Amino acid sequence: MNRIRRLAATVAVGAVTIASLVAGGGAAAAAPTRWGPPELGPRVCSVLKYIKIPQQLIGLPTGGAAVESATWNAGGYCSVVGWIWPKNAGAPGMQFQVNLPKDWNGRALQFGGGGYDGSLVTGLGQYSAQPVGEPAPIDQGYVTLGSDGGHQGGPGFDGTFGLNDEALLNYGQQSVKKAHDAAMVLIAAAYWKKPSYFYFAGGSQGGHEALDAAARYPKDYDGVIANYPAYNVTMMHEGAVNFRDALYGNGGAGWLSPAKTKLITDTVYATCDGLDGADDQVISNVSGCNDAFDVTVLRCPSGADEGDSCLSDAQLASAVKIATDYDLGFEIAGNSVFAKSALFEGALYQGFAGFGTDPVPSNPIDGSEALQYIILDQTSKYIVTRDPSLDTMAFDPADWADRIQEVGKIMDVTDVSLEPFRARGGKILLTHGTADDFITPHNTIQYYERQVAAFGEEKLDSFLRFYEVPGWGHGQGPFNAKYDGLGTLTAWVEDDVAPTGLVAFDANEGANRSRPMCEYPSWPQYTGSGSIADAASFQCVTG
């Protein structure tokens, strides 16, 4: 027992000494010279559970943190689970996990969450869009970490956490930094030095968190991967009134059933699939598709609903409204436009991201509603109005413009400058799929074009690359893209090798095909020779 206590004391001294130096920007190797870090293994792992993290080592307001458990795994790493305590009474704690490999490569990778967060991201699996069969980052020697985003939520899209100010701040932006800083203390305890490089990777809300990491905490991160990012949560959720009004206005006359939706998308693919030279159930030439597709060919002759083989006038109007930009009438984080859906460009809107199974929504929601209505409902009830009894069908965002703009300062990173991140040498891989039926690709195009306006294309290319991937949905889709994001990012950050020749692989079962990843606005066109399953048979073109 005395030996364990001595070991615990040694680890604790290392943690506090190095973490204090890290927080103050001191040298990574400035530990007391007569001590060295104990070799990381089962014994050192077991004593990490005694570590308590003072609040001054976390760069945002908290009540400090403490380790709950530390477990040595057969794979050769220590998994540490802990809690960051809230600053304010009544706020939830934030759970985090840090995984410390024995054979550390000197790098750390933080994983992002999803949806409203609310469940612990362990950091033990593959990162967002990592190629199938590639070793997980922890098995490559990365320290990995994640958190629950600052609260513990129920299943699905549970917005109740938004009733608490501190929980909302954590979800909107602060959980990223708090988990990072707690991890730095544990890294110091385990290795007595800080990482040479610190990265972030995520998709959807995790992509939002990746852009938060870059824009809000540029001193903490060297590179980020932001796949189909929900970077403007407030705009996305409140702008979804466009879906509400289209689908459920006029008593649900415009509601698009799964069969009606499939009629639209089947017609889109029949019209547009071959415009890139390959009939492969992937629409790559989106611009050409917009020119070629005419939804009015689906009109029922009478204009009334005549069944699943055509669209009524109300359903046609609904589809067109969804596929058109919607101006909310006031700005949220510098933008007033809710970007149009890709319904006429290859997005499928079936399954979890579909338009629901009932033409009239319930209050409270029961899961039969369109996904876009669900997020509008939860954010409007629990974050904007904080009125759980709110009738979302009668809700008018204009009546709550001031509060919505206040929330936008918390949850949206739209107008937060990337200049400090660029100036430090940070790099960003930004991606989105053309067939995303939850977060429209046009939302990320808005973000990218905003950056072009801020930096100019040449300067922007020096630290950010944007890839729009045909057929990729929201982590699924006709072309379920996987690519070597982490290898590409580390080469760019550490060796100044800019991305070139990236290839995406389709992870759908039995697909066995690849495509070149083209920098926006270019897209992959079939050359006319070679297999359409091979990326080498395509070239990136513009126009």
Side-chain angles (χ1 to χ4, degrees), residues 177-202:
K177 168 70 171 171
K178 292 177 181 179
H180 168 278
D181 289 0
M184 290 294 281
V185 175
L186 292 168
I187 291 169
Y191 309 111
W192 285 29
K193 60 182 178 180
K194 62 183 179 180
S196 299
Y197 301 96
F198 211 115
Y199 298 103
F200 197 109

Side-chain angles (χ1 to χ4, degrees), residues 353-427:
F355 299 137
T357 57
D358 197 314
V360 178
S362 298
N363 190 20
I365 56 172
D366 63 9
S368 66
E369 298 84 6
L371 178 58
Q372 295 286 347
Y373 183 84
I374 290 172
I375 59 176
L376 167 68
D377 176 83
Q378 293 291 287
T379 295
S380 299
K381 283 181 175 175
Y382 297 108
I383 295 176
V384 175
T385 69
R386 289 179 164 169
D387 176 7
S389 66
L390 177 74
D391 178 2
T392 304
M393 283 298 296
F395 173 71
D396 184 352
D399 294 338
W400 290 85
D402 289 347
R403 170 60 180 167
I404 290 171
Q405 289 173 328
E406 178 184 358
V407 170
K409 293 177 182 178
I410 297 171
M411 298 204 303
D412 296 24
V413 72
T414 312
D415 57 354
V416 182
S417 175
L418 291 170
E419 173 55 25
F421 188 66
R422 183 209 65 81
R424 288 192 67 255
K427 309 296 183 187

Side-chain angles (χ1 to χ4, degrees), residues 224-243:
V224 307
I225 298 170
N227 296 322
Y228 41 93
Y231 68 90
N232 54 344
V233 179
T234 314
M235 170 56 79
M236 283 173 44
H237 291 193
E238 293 305 305
V241 295
N242 193 44
F243 279 80

